[in-house]
Short mmCIF file of all heavy atoms in Angstrom, two decimals:
data_model
loop_
_atom_site.label_atom_id
_atom_site.label_comp_id
_atom_site.label_asym_id
_atom_site.label_seq_id
_atom_site.Cartn_x
_atom_site.Cartn_y
_atom_site.Cartn_z
N ARG A 3 110.27 109.86 80.00
CA ARG A 3 110.28 108.98 81.02
C ARG A 3 111.18 109.53 82.23
O ARG A 3 110.81 109.36 83.44
CB ARG A 3 110.84 107.60 80.60
CG ARG A 3 110.96 106.55 81.67
CD ARG A 3 109.58 106.11 82.13
NE ARG A 3 109.74 105.24 83.28
CZ ARG A 3 109.01 105.37 84.40
NH1 ARG A 3 108.12 106.35 84.55
NH2 ARG A 3 109.19 104.55 85.40
N THR A 4 112.27 110.20 81.85
CA THR A 4 113.12 110.79 82.87
C THR A 4 112.30 111.86 83.64
O THR A 4 112.34 111.99 84.89
CB THR A 4 114.40 111.42 82.30
OG1 THR A 4 115.11 110.37 81.64
CG2 THR A 4 115.25 112.10 83.27
N VAL A 5 111.57 112.65 82.93
CA VAL A 5 110.72 113.69 83.56
C VAL A 5 109.78 112.99 84.50
O VAL A 5 109.61 113.44 85.72
CB VAL A 5 110.00 114.58 82.60
CG1 VAL A 5 109.00 115.46 83.19
CG2 VAL A 5 111.03 115.35 81.68
N LEU A 6 109.11 112.04 84.03
CA LEU A 6 108.10 111.42 84.93
C LEU A 6 108.66 110.77 86.17
O LEU A 6 108.12 110.90 87.26
CB LEU A 6 107.35 110.28 84.10
CG LEU A 6 106.44 110.79 82.98
CD1 LEU A 6 105.83 109.61 82.17
CD2 LEU A 6 105.30 111.60 83.52
N ARG A 7 109.86 110.13 85.95
CA ARG A 7 110.53 109.51 87.12
C ARG A 7 110.96 110.56 88.11
O ARG A 7 110.94 110.35 89.35
CB ARG A 7 111.68 108.67 86.56
CG ARG A 7 112.30 107.73 87.64
CD ARG A 7 113.33 106.81 87.02
NE ARG A 7 114.43 107.59 86.33
CZ ARG A 7 114.63 107.47 84.99
NH1 ARG A 7 113.92 106.71 84.25
NH2 ARG A 7 115.61 108.15 84.45
N MET A 8 111.39 111.69 87.70
CA MET A 8 111.95 112.74 88.59
C MET A 8 110.90 113.49 89.29
O MET A 8 111.10 113.94 90.41
CB MET A 8 112.83 113.67 87.72
CG MET A 8 114.09 113.02 87.30
SD MET A 8 115.12 114.15 86.35
CE MET A 8 115.75 115.16 87.61
N ILE A 9 109.68 113.74 88.69
CA ILE A 9 108.77 114.68 89.28
C ILE A 9 107.45 113.95 89.73
O ILE A 9 106.65 114.63 90.36
CB ILE A 9 108.44 115.84 88.38
CG1 ILE A 9 107.70 115.37 87.13
CG2 ILE A 9 109.64 116.63 88.07
CD1 ILE A 9 107.25 116.54 86.25
N ALA A 10 107.38 112.72 89.43
CA ALA A 10 106.05 112.05 89.83
C ALA A 10 105.95 111.98 91.33
O ALA A 10 106.96 111.71 92.08
CB ALA A 10 105.99 110.63 89.17
N GLU A 11 104.70 112.10 91.86
CA GLU A 11 104.57 111.92 93.28
C GLU A 11 104.57 110.48 93.64
O GLU A 11 104.24 109.61 92.76
CB GLU A 11 103.28 112.56 93.78
CG GLU A 11 101.99 112.01 93.19
CD GLU A 11 100.75 112.82 93.64
OE1 GLU A 11 100.83 113.56 94.63
OE2 GLU A 11 99.79 112.79 92.98
N GLU A 12 104.98 110.15 94.85
CA GLU A 12 104.98 108.76 95.28
C GLU A 12 103.62 108.12 95.21
O GLU A 12 102.62 108.83 95.55
CB GLU A 12 105.56 108.61 96.68
CG GLU A 12 106.97 109.04 96.76
CD GLU A 12 107.55 108.98 98.17
OE1 GLU A 12 107.12 108.06 98.92
OE2 GLU A 12 108.41 109.78 98.55
N ARG A 13 103.51 106.85 94.92
CA ARG A 13 102.29 106.20 94.84
C ARG A 13 101.42 106.27 96.10
O ARG A 13 100.26 106.52 96.08
CB ARG A 13 102.49 104.78 94.40
CG ARG A 13 101.21 103.96 94.14
CD ARG A 13 100.59 104.42 92.87
NE ARG A 13 99.33 103.69 92.68
CZ ARG A 13 98.59 103.95 91.67
NH1 ARG A 13 98.90 104.76 90.71
NH2 ARG A 13 97.48 103.22 91.54
N ALA A 14 102.05 106.12 97.28
CA ALA A 14 101.38 106.13 98.49
C ALA A 14 100.80 107.52 98.76
O ALA A 14 99.68 107.59 99.29
CB ALA A 14 102.38 105.81 99.62
N ILE A 15 101.45 108.59 98.38
CA ILE A 15 100.93 109.93 98.52
C ILE A 15 99.69 110.11 97.64
O ILE A 15 98.68 110.66 98.06
CB ILE A 15 102.02 110.89 98.21
CG1 ILE A 15 103.11 110.88 99.31
CG2 ILE A 15 101.40 112.36 98.23
CD1 ILE A 15 104.31 111.71 99.07
N TYR A 16 99.83 109.61 96.39
CA TYR A 16 98.70 109.72 95.36
C TYR A 16 97.49 109.01 95.96
O TYR A 16 96.38 109.52 95.97
CB TYR A 16 99.13 109.20 94.05
CG TYR A 16 97.91 108.98 93.16
CD1 TYR A 16 97.32 110.02 92.57
CD2 TYR A 16 97.34 107.67 92.98
CE1 TYR A 16 96.20 109.88 91.71
CE2 TYR A 16 96.25 107.51 92.21
CZ TYR A 16 95.70 108.61 91.59
OH TYR A 16 94.59 108.35 90.78
N GLU A 17 97.73 107.78 96.41
CA GLU A 17 96.63 106.96 96.94
C GLU A 17 96.00 107.57 98.20
O GLU A 17 94.80 107.55 98.34
CB GLU A 17 97.11 105.54 97.20
CG GLU A 17 97.33 104.76 95.94
CD GLU A 17 97.94 103.37 96.20
OE1 GLU A 17 98.39 103.08 97.30
OE2 GLU A 17 97.99 102.63 95.24
N SER A 18 96.76 108.21 99.01
CA SER A 18 96.33 108.86 100.22
C SER A 18 95.40 110.06 99.80
O SER A 18 94.29 110.24 100.34
CB SER A 18 97.39 109.32 101.08
OG SER A 18 97.00 110.06 102.17
N ARG A 19 95.92 110.78 98.83
CA ARG A 19 95.12 111.98 98.42
C ARG A 19 93.85 111.48 97.78
O ARG A 19 92.79 112.11 97.98
CB ARG A 19 95.94 112.73 97.40
CG ARG A 19 95.43 114.11 96.98
CD ARG A 19 96.41 114.91 96.24
NE ARG A 19 97.20 114.26 95.18
CZ ARG A 19 96.77 114.01 93.96
NH1 ARG A 19 95.61 114.56 93.62
NH2 ARG A 19 97.46 113.43 93.14
N SER A 20 93.89 110.41 97.06
CA SER A 20 92.74 109.91 96.41
C SER A 20 91.66 109.40 97.40
O SER A 20 90.47 109.68 97.29
CB SER A 20 93.02 108.73 95.47
OG SER A 20 91.88 108.22 94.87
N ARG A 21 92.11 108.72 98.42
CA ARG A 21 91.31 108.25 99.48
C ARG A 21 90.62 109.47 100.24
O ARG A 21 89.42 109.46 100.55
CB ARG A 21 91.97 107.36 100.49
CG ARG A 21 92.04 105.97 100.14
CD ARG A 21 92.55 105.08 101.31
NE ARG A 21 93.88 105.50 101.72
CZ ARG A 21 95.06 105.15 101.20
NH1 ARG A 21 95.00 104.37 100.19
NH2 ARG A 21 96.26 105.58 101.69
N GLN A 22 91.39 110.44 100.51
CA GLN A 22 90.95 111.64 101.20
C GLN A 22 89.84 112.37 100.32
O GLN A 22 88.76 112.76 100.91
CB GLN A 22 92.05 112.66 101.46
CG GLN A 22 91.63 113.84 102.21
CD GLN A 22 92.81 114.74 102.51
OE1 GLN A 22 93.92 114.64 101.95
NE2 GLN A 22 92.67 115.72 103.40
N ARG A 23 90.07 112.49 99.05
CA ARG A 23 89.08 113.08 98.21
C ARG A 23 87.82 112.22 98.16
O ARG A 23 86.73 112.80 98.21
CB ARG A 23 89.65 113.24 96.81
CG ARG A 23 88.69 113.97 95.86
CD ARG A 23 89.25 114.27 94.54
NE ARG A 23 89.93 113.19 93.96
CZ ARG A 23 91.07 113.40 93.17
NH1 ARG A 23 91.57 114.50 92.88
NH2 ARG A 23 91.65 112.27 92.61
N ARG A 24 87.94 110.87 98.06
CA ARG A 24 86.77 110.04 98.14
C ARG A 24 85.97 110.28 99.43
O ARG A 24 84.75 110.38 99.42
CB ARG A 24 87.13 108.52 97.96
CG ARG A 24 85.84 107.71 97.87
CD ARG A 24 86.13 106.29 97.99
NE ARG A 24 86.67 105.94 99.32
CZ ARG A 24 87.07 104.71 99.71
NH1 ARG A 24 87.15 103.73 98.83
NH2 ARG A 24 87.55 104.52 100.87
N ASP A 25 86.68 110.25 100.55
CA ASP A 25 86.03 110.55 101.83
C ASP A 25 85.28 111.83 101.88
O ASP A 25 84.19 111.98 102.35
CB ASP A 25 87.02 110.40 102.99
CG ASP A 25 87.58 109.06 103.13
OD1 ASP A 25 87.06 108.10 102.60
OD2 ASP A 25 88.62 108.88 103.85
N GLU A 26 85.86 112.87 101.19
CA GLU A 26 85.23 114.18 101.17
C GLU A 26 84.02 114.07 100.33
O GLU A 26 82.95 114.67 100.68
CB GLU A 26 86.20 115.25 100.55
CG GLU A 26 87.28 115.71 101.46
CD GLU A 26 88.17 116.68 100.69
OE1 GLU A 26 89.12 116.23 100.00
OE2 GLU A 26 88.03 117.92 100.92
N ILE A 27 84.08 113.39 99.21
CA ILE A 27 82.88 113.26 98.31
C ILE A 27 81.80 112.52 99.04
O ILE A 27 80.63 112.96 99.04
CB ILE A 27 83.31 112.46 97.02
CG1 ILE A 27 84.21 113.38 96.22
CG2 ILE A 27 82.10 111.93 96.31
CD1 ILE A 27 84.88 112.65 95.03
N VAL A 28 82.13 111.42 99.83
CA VAL A 28 81.13 110.71 100.56
C VAL A 28 80.53 111.58 101.60
O VAL A 28 79.24 111.53 101.67
CB VAL A 28 81.79 109.39 101.17
CG1 VAL A 28 80.80 108.82 102.15
CG2 VAL A 28 82.05 108.41 100.08
N GLU A 29 81.33 112.35 102.35
CA GLU A 29 80.75 113.26 103.33
C GLU A 29 79.80 114.23 102.79
O GLU A 29 78.71 114.47 103.34
CB GLU A 29 81.90 113.93 104.10
CG GLU A 29 81.48 114.82 105.18
CD GLU A 29 80.72 114.11 106.32
OE1 GLU A 29 80.92 112.87 106.57
OE2 GLU A 29 79.86 114.75 107.00
N LEU A 30 80.16 114.89 101.69
CA LEU A 30 79.30 115.93 101.05
C LEU A 30 78.01 115.19 100.66
O LEU A 30 76.92 115.80 100.66
CB LEU A 30 79.94 116.59 99.92
CG LEU A 30 81.13 117.51 100.45
CD1 LEU A 30 81.92 118.05 99.20
CD2 LEU A 30 80.59 118.70 101.26
#
């Protein structure tokens, strides 16, 4: 849990990356 807490990316960054990937998928 300490490892996860220290190195996990922020939720907003993860969601942004996920949206960007979805947009790329839709575009292709």
Side-chain angles (χ1 to χ4, degrees):
R3 180 70 187 130
T4 298
V5 171
L6 292 174
R7 191 173 56 246
M8 292 178 73
I9 65 173
E11 65 185 335
E12 293 180 33
R13 184 71 182 179
I15 294 171
Y16 167 77
E17 289 174 347
S18 173
R19 190 169 45 83
S20 180
R21 274 190 302 277
Q22 183 179 12
R23 184 172 46 212
R24 184 190 67 187
D25 292 344
E26 288 178 276
I27 289 169
V28 168
E29 181 61 27
L30 292 172

